[in-house]
Amino acid sequence: MSDSWKLTLPCTRAEAEAIDAADDFGIDPAPVLMTSEEVADDPLRWRLDAYFEGRPDKAAIAAVRALAPSSAKTKTTAERVPDADWITLSQSGIEPVHAGRFYVHTDANKGAIPAGARPFRIEASRAFGTGQHETTTGCLLTLDAMRVRGERARNLVDIGTGTGLLAFAAMHLWPGAYATASDIDAASIDVTAENAGLNGIALGNGPRELALAVAPGLEHPLLIGRAPYDLIVANILAGPLIALAPSIGMALAEGGTLVLAGLLKNQADAVLRAYRRQGLRLAGRIDTGDWPALRLRKRVRHGHDRVTRLGPGGAGETPGFGNW
């Protein structure tokens, strides 16, 4: 590569999570996109780096700028970077993540896989959830600790799946389970499908297969039809977690486990209050930096209202979910 260029823009964490690969923007060749924190634990201080093969024109710059509306008033220009493999350059600061029994890497930084670890190849810059951020690491550690304690999952869902990593990890821990992954962003579901292929994860609606859905929260016939779940993972943001508390609480089976992440320590109390109202209690917590992963359990009810159906094909009553 003899002519590589980089455009750097400020962005927010929410924008970073929503950023998709550039191949849908009509740019050829597509730039490589990478997001990172500028200031630790500040959701408003993130950065978007776009690496181009050749000097980008005004249309290409405008397409990248559209990914970060908060940067509209920022003046910046593309700059030429030294001769290098631009994909490797964009990922030069990324290290593999070893969390519990999981080892998450990109194609460029695979390194030596630790003995006994389950490797997952998750490329950077496609969707949130590469394992680099503390929220994803905390969820991986929480899931691993659940399996160590002998907890079981027969029907699980990863809400806001991003790259699919947490769904893949849960499927590895409980290989016979029905598994579902959803995201409000259709591009994230495309990324999850691609990553499933890279990591030997079968797609489908049966046990040992991953079913996919594009949905805001749980508003999808597939997600409603497969409920209640005995394991729900939601690594998103504190605001959406609070807003989704009623529907997530209803979708979780009695005695089931909910893993929440994407919130800061100072947001944990507000999130917990929202889920206590739904009959859940805090059962465990792992703090990775300033980012806690919360493990909650749903109380068991008794009597004729008790939910007995669990997963596709289950028998018994299901809750009236109404309009999610």
Side-chain angles (χ1 to χ4, degrees):
M1 189 70 59
S2 59
D3 193 21
S4 298
W5 291 71
K6 182 176 77 169
L7 177 68
T8 298
L9 294 170
C11 67
T12 67
R13 180 189 168 193
E15 290 168 344
E17 291 180 351
I19 285 174
D20 179 30
D23 51 4
D24 291 333
F25 304 150
I27 305 173
D28 186 22
V32 170
L33 304 178
M34 184 170 181
T35 58
S36 57
E37 286 182 300
E38 282 278 85
V39 177
D41 303 335
D42 186 341
L44 300 180
R45 299 288 300 278
W46 280 58
R47 185 181 76 202
L48 166 62
D49 292 313
Y51 292 84
F52 297 86
E53 179 184 351
R55 185 171 186 172
D57 58 20
K58 291 183 179 180
I61 293 175
V64 173
R65 275 189 172 278
L67 298 174
S70 64
S71 70
K73 296 182 180 180
T74 300
K75 294 182 179 180
T76 186
T77 58
E79 59 181 7
R80 192 169 186 171
V81 295
D83 292 348
D85 181 327
W86 56 307
I87 294 179
T88 301
L89 179 64
S90 71
Q91 299 182 356
S92 60
I94 298 176
E95 296 294 333
V97 173
H98 189 193
R101 70 192 70 194
F102 303 112
Y103 183 75
V104 188
H105 63 88
T106 68
D107 185 50
N109 72 357
K110 184 175 182 179
I113 299 173
R118 171 52 163 103
F120 288 111
R121 175 184 165 188
I122 306 292
E123 296 300 330
S125 306
R126 298 297 308 273
F128 188 78
T130 63
Q132 298 296 316
H133 198 275
E134 290 94 334
T135 59
T136 309
T137 301
C139 288
L140 291 173
L141 292 172
T142 298
L143 294 172
D144 185 63
M146 288 173 57
R147 185 66 181 85
V148 170
R149 286 191 300 270
E151 297 187 37
R152 297 182 179 181
R154 294 180 291 158
N155 184 32
L156 61 93
V157 62
D158 178 15
I159 300 170
T161 193
T163 62
L165 173 58
L166 296 178
F168 302 162
M171 292 176 71
H172 174 70
L173 295 172
W174 296 284
Y178 288 89
T180 312
S182 69
D183 202 286
I184 193 172
D185 184 3
S188 289
I189 294 302
D190 291 340
V191 169
T192 296
E194 293 173 10
N195 286 337
L198 290 175
N199 291 282
I201 307 295
L203 299 181
N205 294 320
R208 303 177 184 272
E209 297 176 335
L210 181 62
L212 301 177
V214 178
L218 291 129
E219 293 183 10
H220 192 284
L222 175 68
L223 300 176
I224 296 172
R226 294 170 77 94
Y229 303 92
D230 55 357
L231 173 60
I232 297 178
V233 181
N235 179 18
I236 41 181
L237 295 169
L241 287 177
I242 292 171
L244 289 170
S247 56
I248 288 178
M250 191 172 290
L252 184 64
E254 296 171 16
T257 297
L258 171 63
V259 178
L260 299 178
L263 57 144
L264 289 163
K265 286 181 179 179
N266 61 10
Q267 299 170 324
D269 287 344
V271 172
L272 285 171
R273 282 196 298 271
Y275 285 88
R276 288 193 185 103
R277 297 189 192 105
Q278 310 305 318
L280 281 76
R281 63 175 178 82
L282 181 64
R285 172 172 174 162
I286 293 177
D287 285 22
T288 309
D290 286 330
W291 302 88
L294 308 177
R295 179 172 58 88
L296 297 90
R297 296 295 297 272
K298 185 175 180 179
R299 64 179 175 84
V300 177
R301 295 178 296 172
H302 300 279
H304 72 280
D305 288 333
R306 184 177 181 185
V307 178
T308 57
R309 188 186 79 107
L310 186 64
E317 295 183 357
T318 59
F321 290 104
N323 181 16
W324 289 9

